[in-house]
Amino acid sequence: MDHAVAANPSALPLVEPGTFGGRLAAMPMRSKLGLGLGIAALAATVLAMTLWSSQGDYKVLYANLSDKDGGAIIAQLSQMNVPYKHAEGGTAILVPAAQVHDVRLKLATAGLPKGSVTGYELMDNARFGQTQFQERLTFQRGLEGELTRTITSMAAVQNARVHLALPNQNGFFREQQKPSASVLLTLHPGRVLDRAQVAGIVHLVSSSVPELDPKAVSVVDQTGALITNTGDGPQQNAGLDAQQLQYVNQIESHLSKRIVDLLEPIVGRDNLRATVAADVDFSQSEATSEEFKPNQGSDASISIRSQQTSESGGSSNGQPSGVPGAASNQPPVAATAPLTGASQPLQTAQGGSNALAGGGRREATTNYEIDKTVRVTRNASGAVKRLNAAVVVNNRAVTDAKGKTTYVPLTAEELDKLTTLVRESIGFKQERGDSVKVINAPFKVDPAAKVDNSLPLWKQPEVIDMLRAAAVPAGLAFVALLVFFGMIRPAMKAALKPQAAPAAGANLQAVVDDPQDLPALPPPKSVEHLNTAKTLARDNPAAVAGIVRTWVSGETAAAKS
């Protein structure tokens, strides 16, 4: 019987009932199964949330992209640190749904995507059995694409469209229709094309199409203005060309900048607006004048151009007269022609036989140089005829001792000082007809643009996108909370519940001085027996201790045997 008592497995339990493992082992099988399933479901929910957060909700940014545009967009996304994915064989790019609109606007400012332009590669995809019209149309499309590529390679051109009108050539027609072309240019902001560049585009298109006259090529900018010369004369004589407009804009912007740089330190930043209108004269005139002046001064300043002398004489039967001697034998003195007045008559020798008779004649002709002045005057092109400057200044900000800021108008004296500064900055000239106006007016501050709440909140696209993006994580979080509070928390609460106090007489270690931990006695089967044992232990503790000692000694001896 003692051996049977020693072999009882319930005497030494395998798991201590006071530890966490013992409490889990004491739980019912149903609670254990619920705890395990809850932990597994919670782990799966956390894993799903982790995977979703790493991938996110992606939407299509652009689809049907060419390789060139796709590479440019991917490079720009990499610089912007925006995650992206490929779809549909690489022709579509996906980005996080919350960043689709923002990324599109940023890429639009960078000019992406530019759009695919197909050229002669269209001829590589020729189908079997296509008609002559289809072949001619494919060739025309390829030629337009190649011209578009060439024109867009220019620095000032952002985009271009080329339209060719190629009539069908037929040998039966007496008069063949000539081809024509139209080019639409979209220029970069702030860029213009001069006449040489426009002429180069026209020459490029006309040289690429057989029998295309350069006059049949029309070039239009993004505003719809015709920038080619369609007449025989100069282009649009009534207006200014691109270079002249650029020159006027440079003058106006330079003078406006000088006004702003001069007045900003006085009135403060963003407290004035200035504009200058310049009237520039681009007309060219040339004048030539000739002036003739009479000879003046002494005889030394007179220049003889040519001189001619002629003499003629007739026969005379007259006898020589005069006193014979040396005086009558002298030749006559040469005649002189004065500058003004009548010429002197020919002098004859006195009494000499060699003197000319009444039929003799002598003439002298002298031509003199006349003063001549030739003056050529050319007026300068691009001279400023008139300047008009208008300046608006905001009210002056005044801060009182309490820190409150108010805006007060400027005084007349302050406006006069500002007007004087503006006049000096632009080089004001009264005789030229320049005008300067400086006025003071309060600047109107527009309130911030309010969100259009015409649609209900639950119908606005931003709210819908936000709800779609938050639906998955919110659902996973709800599942996680449901699993935790419905399955895991009750099981953990039961496992961590504190142990009830031991019944009276369960542990006799305090009564008997025994170093060994004694196992607790099984609870009595009846409440009546329990009360009787409590009364006996309280009234006669020594007897109870002896009984227990006898029990323990007997069990120990049996175990040793």
Side-chain angles (χ1 to χ4, degrees), residues 241-458:
D241 59 5
Q243 291 182 349
Q244 294 173 352
L245 288 175
Q246 185 178 7
Y247 178 71
V248 174
N249 292 334
Q250 288 179 354
I251 293 178
E252 294 176 350
S253 61
H254 176 67
L255 294 177
S256 301
K257 185 176 183 299
R258 292 176 62 177
I259 295 174
V260 173
D261 293 342
L262 185 62
L263 299 185
E264 264 193 353
I266 301 175
V267 300
R269 186 176 179 86
D270 296 334
N271 284 328
L272 79 157
R273 298 292 185 270
T275 179
V276 177
D279 186 6
V280 183
D281 185 13
F282 291 99
S283 61
Q284 297 180 357
S285 60
E286 181 177 348
T288 304
S289 62
E290 294 184 1
E291 298 179 358
F292 298 91
K293 296 182 179 179
N295 293 324
Q296 298 177 358
S298 61
D299 295 343
S301 62
I302 299 175
S303 300
I304 299 176
R305 179 190 299 175
S306 62
Q307 186 176 10
Q308 183 180 1
T309 304
S310 62
E311 295 181 359
S312 63
S315 60
S316 176
N317 295 325
Q319 298 294 329
S321 62
V323 180
S328 61
N329 293 331
Q330 294 293 329
V333 181
T336 59
L339 293 176
T340 59
S343 61
Q344 297 179 359
L346 296 175
Q347 296 180 0
T348 58
Q350 298 179 1
S353 59
N354 295 332
L356 295 176
R361 185 179 180 182
R362 177 181 294 174
E363 295 181 355
T365 303
T366 304
N367 297 322
Y368 298 93
E369 292 289 348
I370 301 176
D371 292 342
K372 179 181 179 181
T373 302
V374 180
R375 184 175 291 106
V376 179
T377 304
R378 292 186 178 91
N379 293 333
S381 177
V384 178
K385 296 173 58 178
R386 186 179 179 183
L387 291 177
N388 297 326
V391 181
V392 181
V393 183
N394 192 14
N395 291 340
R396 184 176 67 253
V398 178
T399 304
D400 56 7
K402 297 181 180 180
K404 184 179 180 180
T405 303
T406 58
Y407 292 90
V408 297
L410 300 179
T411 61
E413 183 180 358
E414 292 175 342
L415 289 178
D416 292 339
K417 292 181 179 179
L418 296 179
T419 303
T420 303
L421 291 176
V422 173
R423 289 181 176 179
E424 295 297 329
S425 63
I426 66 174
F428 178 83
K429 292 183 180 180
Q430 184 68 34
E431 62 276 6
R432 195 170 55 186
D434 297 347
S435 65
V436 174
K437 297 294 182 181
V438 179
I439 63 174
N440 175 223
F443 286 5
K444 182 179 180 181
V445 180
D446 294 334
K450 298 182 179 180
V451 180
D452 186 12
N453 295 326
S454 58
L455 292 176
L457 183 63
W458 56 275

Side-chain angles (χ1 to χ4, degrees), residues 12 42 44 66 101 128 132 141 143 148 164 179 220 320 328 356 361-362 410 455 475 496 503 510-511 525:
L12 297 175
L42 183 61
S66 62
H101 303 290
F128 179 76
Q132 184 180 3
R141 290 179 56 194
L143 182 58
T148 301
L164 298 178
V220 183
S328 61
L356 295 176
R361 185 179 180 182
R362 177 181 294 174
L410 300 179
L455 292 176
L496 297 177
V511 180
K525 298 181 180 181

Side-chain angles (χ1 to χ4, degrees), residues 17 21-29 32:
R23 293 179 180 180
L24 289 179
M27 290 175 56
M29 183 58 64
K32 293 180 181 179

Side-chain angles (χ1 to χ4, degrees), residues 42 45-46 48-50 52-53 57 465-483:
L42 183 61
T45 305
V46 173
M49 294 181 65
T50 305
W52 183 88
S53 61
D57 186 14
D465 292 341
M466 183 179 64
L467 292 177
R468 288 178 179 176
V472 176
L476 294 177
F478 177 75
V479 172
L481 293 176
L482 186 62
V483 170

